[in-house]
Amino acid sequence: MRESVPDDVVEDILGHLPVKSLTRFRCFSKSWNSIITDTTFINKHLKLNLNQSESSMSTNTHSGYLLYTTEDKDSSSSSKELCTVACNKDRTLTQVSRFEIPPFFDKYMIVGFCNGLFCLASPEKELCHVIYLWNPSIRMLKKLVATRFNRKHNERAAIGFAYDSLNNDFKILRIVCNAMFNGSEAEAEIYTLSSDSWRKVVTSMQSLRGCEVTEPKLGTICCVWGPFSFYNGALHALAFTTGYLYILSFDISDESFHEIMMPRNHLDGATNYFNKLAVYKGLLANFVFAHDFGNEHDGRVLCHVWVMEEYGVPESWTRKFVMEWAWTFHFFGCTNNGELLIKNATGLASIDPENQNQNILPIENANWVAFSANSMESLVLLDRVYTDRESEREEEEEKNSNVCSMDDLGGALGSGGGLGGSSSSSSGLDGSGDGHSRVTLLYRALPLGTVLASRNITTDMTKDFLNLRMNTIYFRTIKT
């Protein structure tokens, strides 16, 4: 009888599998489910995916990904979906994924996303302290209840969400400000997924100043406009104190606040303006939308694109472009090549600010849009409590449903890899099968080159793998 394969070998193989395969393999046995839902394994799988994502960016045949939410207005249930499409270099789009948004997110909006995890918050006062983390790939979510500050006036919360790569942790920054000019200090707190807890952070203006002798003294932070933009390891948002507008940054690793001064002439005599931060061609940028009542433009709306050429150096602000705008345009952000993502009367489009050429995107009814250089899924939250279908169930009930029965295995694997029905039992793929059969199942989900290059695979396992792979190809050919 063959010896069983060591657990560390099985774990190493599992770490190279995609999320979809891993969620299916949880049903294979309790030991595999224990490995896949272990926090240490989830972190290792995340790091491996991050490394692979960075290395594959240079060889991609597309220029990035668009993420957007859409609502089917023709449907009686008015269902909403989160979609991801790849932006091909020939300007076509290829669908990557599509997930149904849980119906109880109606009063929430996406305020940040990274590494397959989405952060949602509500603009409504009675819900501003409730935040959700959602992983659509594994249909898991986590409800977070932040501090309800005792405030007499209307309050607004600015939310920032990011992944701290130095500490391998997801963090949420929440800054609560009252209505402007009421004289109270802003209060801030941070949530870390590793500790699953909130704690306050200091937002004193003294910690923001570089030198009080050469720089103007700031008063109370009156308002912070979220959501934050993540760039260069820090979250950024526009902030306002009495008579002074600046960029408030928060280093996600050392958890310190800093101030970035705006260009002194960024308004240039314009009125009725608003600002929006974004990342433009790898640089922090400030988009200023304002009326210009000069003779040349006669009150038309202009978009001034300011770029900080050297991060943290106010003198490096440079106005790159000035382009005509319309208040009906909704600006979402920028793509990697510097095109502006907007929604206008014709729908979703991208505009090149250099020549102002417009490209209509074949996406309908989008109400939230974002661009990402890469698209990755993760297992984050798999070791947590709630599913997006059963968010109100108790923790013990959720734990009992983590491992499905062997009867479910055939359906789960049969739809994706042809291992359903009698083929699974004939291959020894049950709870009592030998270790080589289990590892063969794992290697079957990997590309052939990855399998043959693995240092952990034995000669017998290679033979088993090749035989199973050839049989699968044969049966697929017969069906075709």
Side-chain angles (χ1 to χ4, degrees):
M1 184 176 180
R2 293 176 176 176
E3 296 181 0
S4 61
V5 177
D7 289 342
D8 60 333
V9 176
V10 174
E11 183 175 337
D12 179 64
I13 300 170
L14 285 170
H16 289 79
L17 296 179
V19 169
K20 186 175 182 179
S21 297
L22 290 173
T23 54
R24 290 173 174 174
F25 288 156
R26 289 180 60 197
C27 305
F28 182 67
S29 70
K30 290 185 177 180
S31 62
W32 281 19
N33 178 74
S34 178
I35 292 175
I36 295 171
T37 57
D38 180 70
T39 302
T40 302
F41 174 81
I42 292 173
N43 291 334
K44 289 172 61 177
H45 185 267
L46 174 63
K47 288 183 178 180
L48 183 61
N49 277 0
L50 286 172
N51 294 334
Q52 290 177 344
S53 178
E54 292 177 359
S55 61
S56 63
M57 286 179 60
S58 59
T59 60
N60 283 341
T61 58
H62 46 263
S63 56
Y65 298 85
L66 281 180
L67 293 82
Y68 63 94
T69 58
T70 182
E71 182 174 358
D72 186 3
K73 296 182 178 179
D74 297 329
S75 173
S76 58
S77 61
S78 187
S79 60
K80 297 181 179 180
E81 294 180 319
L82 170 67
C83 307
T84 302
V85 294
C87 303
N88 303 315
K89 293 184 178 179
D90 61 357
R91 288 192 171 275
T92 60
L93 302 178
T94 302
Q95 183 172 307
V96 176
S97 63
R98 182 184 293 268
F99 299 102
E100 183 180 351
I101 299 176
F104 52 86
F105 279 165
D106 283 345
K107 296 182 179 180
Y108 290 80
M109 62 179 63
I110 298 174
V111 294
F113 69 95
C114 59
N115 303 338
L117 204 59
F118 290 78
C119 181
L120 296 96
S122 175
E124 299 187 11
K125 180 181 179 181
E126 63 271 16
L127 295 174
C128 69
H129 66 290
V130 179
I131 300 172
Y132 281 96
L133 288 178
W134 179 44
N135 187 335
S137 301
I138 58 174
R139 294 172 55 183
M140 298 289 289
L141 62 85
K142 184 173 180 60
K143 180 180 180 180
L144 311 175
V145 180
T147 304
R148 299 201 72 164
F149 297 107
N150 185 21
R151 291 172 175 265
K152 298 179 181 180
H153 305 276
N154 291 331
E155 65 180 35
R156 56 180 300 165
I159 309 293
F161 176 62
Y163 174 69
D164 179 4
S165 58
L166 293 181
N167 299 302
N168 188 34
D169 203 357
F170 290 87
K171 296 181 179 181
I172 299 175
L173 173 66
R174 179 173 178 261
I175 300 181
V176 176
C177 304
N178 283 339
M180 297 179 66
F181 310 118
N182 59 22
S184 61
E185 294 280 355
E187 297 180 86
E189 59 183 348
I190 189 167
Y191 170 86
T192 56
L193 185 59
S194 61
S195 66
D196 190 21
S197 62
W198 293 91
R199 52 186 167 80
K200 288 188 175 182
V201 288
V202 179
T203 58
S204 64
M205 296 309 299
Q206 288 77 12
S207 65
L208 303 179
R209 308 307 300 152
C211 177
E212 294 190 1
V213 177
T214 59
E215 298 178 358
K217 184 177 181 179
L218 302 182
T220 299
I221 300 176
C222 297
C223 192
V224 178
W225 285 276
F228 285 75
S229 298
F230 186 70
Y231 172 75
N232 199 41
L235 293 165
H236 301 80
L238 292 167
F240 183 81
T241 188
T242 306
Y244 190 75
L245 180 70
Y246 62 99
I247 298 174
L248 180 67
S249 72
F250 178 77
D251 190 295
I252 202 67
S253 295
D254 64 22
E255 300 180 3
S256 61
F257 286 96
H258 303 276
E259 176 215 2
I260 299 177
M261 295 179 63
M262 303 287 285
R264 296 185 182 276
N265 59 338
H266 74 285
L267 296 182
D268 201 19
T271 59
N272 297 335
Y273 72 97
F274 71 93
N275 297 52
K276 184 176 177 64
L277 297 179
V279 178
Y280 175 80
K281 291 188 175 182
L283 298 173
L284 184 64
N286 180 30
F287 290 77
V288 182
F289 304 89
H291 280 294
D292 191 319
F293 292 102
N295 294 329
E296 181 181 354
H297 301 289
D298 194 24
R300 285 176 288 182
V301 179
L302 299 180
C303 173
H304 303 254
V305 183
W306 289 86
V307 175
M308 180 170 267
E309 301 283 0
E310 186 177 351
Y311 180 71
V313 180
E315 292 77 15
S316 68
W317 281 111
T318 304
R319 182 160 51 186
K320 288 288 187 181
F321 308 103
V322 178
M323 54 188 294
E324 289 195 16
W325 201 258
W327 286 126
T328 56
F329 289 4
H330 189 115
F331 176 53
F332 292 105
C334 303
T335 65
N336 262 11
N337 58 10
E339 293 187 355
L340 279 57
L341 293 170
I342 68 164
K343 186 178 182 180
N344 55 23
T346 60
L348 193 63
S350 61
I351 296 179
D352 188 337
E354 296 187 25
N355 51 36
Q356 299 193 25
N357 289 337
Q358 181 172 295
N359 177 41
I360 304 298
L361 301 173
I363 297 175
E364 298 181 355
N365 301 322
N367 45 41
W368 173 86
V369 181
F371 179 85
S372 178
N374 56 56
S375 175
M376 65 170 289
E377 298 178 343
S378 70
L379 296 171
V380 178
L381 296 188
L382 192 59
D383 53 340
R384 306 293 168 173
V385 179
Y386 300 116
T387 66
D388 61 11
R389 300 288 186 183
E390 306 166 333
S391 63
E392 302 302 325
R393 289 190 179 180
E394 296 296 329
E395 180 175 358
E396 187 61 30
E397 185 177 354
E398 167 62 24
K399 288 181 179 178
N400 292 336
S401 65
N402 273 345
V403 183
C404 65
S405 65
M406 287 302 299
D407 292 335
D408 298 327
L409 178 60
L413 294 180
S415 61
L419 286 180
S422 60
S423 61
S424 60
S425 59
S426 63
S427 300
L429 301 179
D430 56 19
S432 59
D434 61 66
H436 286 283
S437 297
R438 299 183 184 184
V439 175
T440 300
L441 172 62
L442 291 176
Y443 274 114
R444 185 180 173 279
L446 289 171
L448 179 59
T450 304
V451 174
L452 298 180
S454 174
R455 293 175 294 179
N456 293 320
I457 189 169
T458 65
T459 303
D460 289 339
M461 291 159 59
T462 304
K463 291 179 180 179
D464 291 343
F465 166 79
L466 291 176
N467 287 334
L468 183 57
R469 178 63 67 87
M470 293 305 296
N471 288 336
T472 303
I473 295 173
Y474 171 75
F475 284 116
R476 284 179 177 172
T477 304
I478 293 298
K479 289 181 180 180
T480 303

